[in-house]
Structure formats: C-alpha cells, structure tokens
Amino acid sequence: MSPRLTAAAAALATAAVVPLSSDIARADATPSCAGADAHSFPLAARIRGGPPSYEAGGRSGTWYIDLTNTTQQTCTGIHPVVVLVDDKRVLRPDQPRLDFHDGSRTRPVTFESTDKHELVGVLDGTGFGGFTVPAGRTVSVRVRLALPSDAASDQVTANAAVVQRRGQDGDWVGESNAYRFGITEEGENDTQDTQDTQDTQDAGEAQDVQDAQDAQPTPGAEDAQDAQAVQDPPHTPGVQQPPDIPAAPSGSATATPTGSPASTDTPASAATGPDSPDPDSPESSLYLAREAQEAEARARELARTGPGLVHGLLAAVAALFGAGAGAFLLARGRR
C-alpha cells in the first residue's frame, strides 16, 4: 500500500464520520478548516511511538496521533480515522482491538472493511463531538492496539485520515505518515529470545573448550624437545668441541709420537729388531699412542651424549697427557 490513503479508504472514512454524530444541529454551524491553498491540508497529522511488532494474544501497544493546526483559526469536530492494511489481506474487521482516549474516558473503535480489504475505524462514539485543535497548536490523541491469539503472522501498515464533521457532511482535512508493524504468533518472541540466549551460551562454551585445548601441551612435544637436546648437546663456554677424527683402521700405520721422527727408508726389520720394544708392550710408544686414540674416541662418544661432554673432554686430556708422558720417559730411557 502507498503511504497515502486510497480513494476508497478516504471516502469510507469521511462517510463513516457523519452517521456517528450525536449533535447534527450544532455541527451545521461548525466553520470549515481551510488550508493555505487548495493543495494542502489544514491539519498536519503524525503517528508516533508505536512498537515494531505485536504478539497475537499478547498485551496492547500504545501510540499517538498528533494533530497540528496550521491555520489561523480553531478547528473543531475533528475525528481521526485509522486505516489498517495487512500484506496478506487476511486481517478481519473483528480482530484489531483499538481504543482511544478522548480526554476524559477511553472509547473502543469499530472497524469496517472496504472492497480492497482495508480496515477502517473512526475515533468516535456516542456523546463525543470530536477533538478541538486551536490555531497553531497540537493535540495528541493516545490510542492502544492489540491483536487476538488467532491473528496470523503478518505485516501491517497503519495510516490516519483526519476528517472534520460538518452537519451531514464531512471534509478530509489531514493525513498522517505510515506506521508499519508486524504481527507475530503467540510465543514466537519468547522462542526467539530463548534461541538467542542459547546461541550465546553455546558460543561461550565453545570458546572455553578452545581455550582449554590451547592450554594443554601437544602430545609428544616434550619427547621431541628431549630428543633434540640429545642430538644437539649444549655448548659449554670455554670448552672446545673435539674434532671428529676417524679412528685409524686396523693394520694402518700409526702416527709417530712427538720426538720420534719417522723415516720411510727404515726397513721393517729395524722396527721390530731384537733391540726394539714389543709394540704390544705397555712400555711401547706405539701402545701408548693407541691407548690415547682409544681414549679420545671414547671421549668423543661421551661428548655426543650431551651430559658427559665435560667429563669426556677431561678424560681425553688426561689420556693425551698420559701418552705424552709415557713416550717422553721411554725416549729418555733409550738415551
């Protein structure tokens, strides 16, 4: 529906006002409200304060129809006419429960239907001659609306036509803005609120589970760290790592100890002659050199295990010192 009233609704609103008058003789003398020109209404109307939705079978919602006189004369016999149009065209005239306050009491409003399924309800009643709006002033009419439990979910547009009763006739003197609201089934709002609350709780629980998982260590992480520490032993400041010197293969020539120059012209018999010491004898320099090599190899093996680094180095140094001392004493004994 357009924000403005249809011709059928406006005609019915104007016609409906006249039969409800209780004092026609006095109404004949009522002066007409006239706008500044033929294309403007003398009264400006506005609907304000209504809720965005009504629950079928729920409590009523309150809103206001403001009537502002834009002329220089008082307008009397003013009757707002509420027009309801629902999107599905299923709202019946007996379903909307509308009442208004006339300044001294609350009066019910009865709706009628047009051929286009528009519901029209006049704010009038026995003994009520309409509202009086002084020049340049605003009168606010309080109304309340409720929908029964059998009202279907729907969207409704409300407008207010403003009619001035004049004897057996009436003039259309104002029109309000459109007020759009919804009709929800009974309990639908509570269900939505419950669902929103449940979604919030589920989100909070999921976050708690994620935080707990993040706080737990990854399985096998500590074992991996320990294995890495064994593979890469820590470096001790001030201690030089021993080089990876491969052990001499069996049967290969052994390095000559310090102080005993090697000669490639010496025959093999000279090295193993009667005056030469037995190579496997503990006093032999070759024996001591092999012992030093084995001690150094053990030191390197211990160094690779990480915790035995210092002990391995000390053992290697002690073995080297022992081998050097033994060779020195043997050389002096030969002299």
Side-chain angles (χ1 to χ4, degrees), residues 77-292:
I78 303 301
H79 295 267
V81 181
V82 176
V83 180
L84 302 178
V85 182
D86 65 302
D87 291 354
K88 297 179 180 179
R89 299 298 197 275
V90 296
L91 193 62
R92 304 190 308 268
D94 63 325
Q95 288 182 311
R97 298 171 183 173
L98 185 71
D99 59 50
F100 72 99
H101 194 266
D102 66 2
S104 59
R105 56 177 290 190
T106 299
R107 296 176 179 271
V109 176
T110 302
F111 285 92
E112 297 182 24
S113 180
T114 69
D115 56 355
K116 293 186 178 181
H117 301 284
E118 301 164 315
L119 304 185
V120 179
V122 181
L123 274 61
D124 202 351
T126 304
F128 177 63
F131 295 98
T132 297
V133 185
R137 303 288 295 276
T138 298
V139 173
S140 296
V141 182
R142 185 181 67 190
V143 299
R144 293 184 304 180
L145 175 66
L147 282 304
S149 58
D150 61 345
S153 295
D154 207 344
Q155 291 292 318
V156 183
T157 301
N159 287 87
V162 183
V163 177
Q164 182 187 32
R165 179 185 291 118
R166 300 183 64 249
Q168 297 183 4
D169 197 1
D171 294 332
W172 186 11
V173 295
E175 179 183 349
S176 77
N177 58 308
Y179 163 41
R180 183 83 169 165
F181 61 87
I183 302 176
T184 60
E185 295 182 358
E186 187 174 5
E188 184 175 338
N189 290 342
D190 295 339
T191 302
Q192 183 63 38
D193 293 341
T194 302
Q195 183 63 40
D196 293 342
T197 302
Q198 184 63 41
D199 292 343
T200 302
Q201 293 176 350
D202 292 344
E205 292 175 359
Q207 185 62 41
D208 293 341
V209 171
Q210 183 63 38
D211 293 342
Q213 291 177 350
D214 294 341
Q216 293 179 354
T218 304
E222 294 182 357
D223 296 340
Q225 293 176 356
D226 294 342
Q228 184 65 28
V230 172
Q231 183 176 358
D232 300 328
H235 175 69
T236 303
V239 179
Q240 184 177 2
Q241 298 285 353
D244 293 336
I245 302 176
S250 177
S252 63
T254 306
T256 304
T258 304
S260 300
S263 175
T264 56
D265 296 334
T266 304
S269 58
T272 57
D275 296 333
S276 300
D278 185 2
D280 294 330
S281 173
E283 291 82 3
S284 172
S285 60
L286 296 178
Y287 173 82
L288 295 175
R290 281 198 299 270
E291 287 294 323

Side-chain angles (χ1 to χ4, degrees), residues 44-103:
R46 181 171 70 102
I47 296 177
R48 63 176 175 86
S53 65
Y54 297 80
E55 181 181 356
R59 53 183 167 181
S60 61
T62 300
W63 35 287
Y64 296 86
I65 302 174
D66 293 336
L67 305 172
T68 301
N69 189 346
T70 63
T71 71
Q72 299 299 318
Q73 60 183 0
T74 299
C75 293
T76 61
I78 303 301
H79 295 267
V81 181
V82 176
V83 180
L84 302 178
V85 182
D86 65 302
D87 291 354
K88 297 179 180 179
R89 299 298 197 275
V90 296
L91 193 62
R92 304 190 308 268
D94 63 325
Q95 288 182 311
R97 298 171 183 173
L98 185 71
D99 59 50
F100 72 99
H101 194 266
D102 66 2

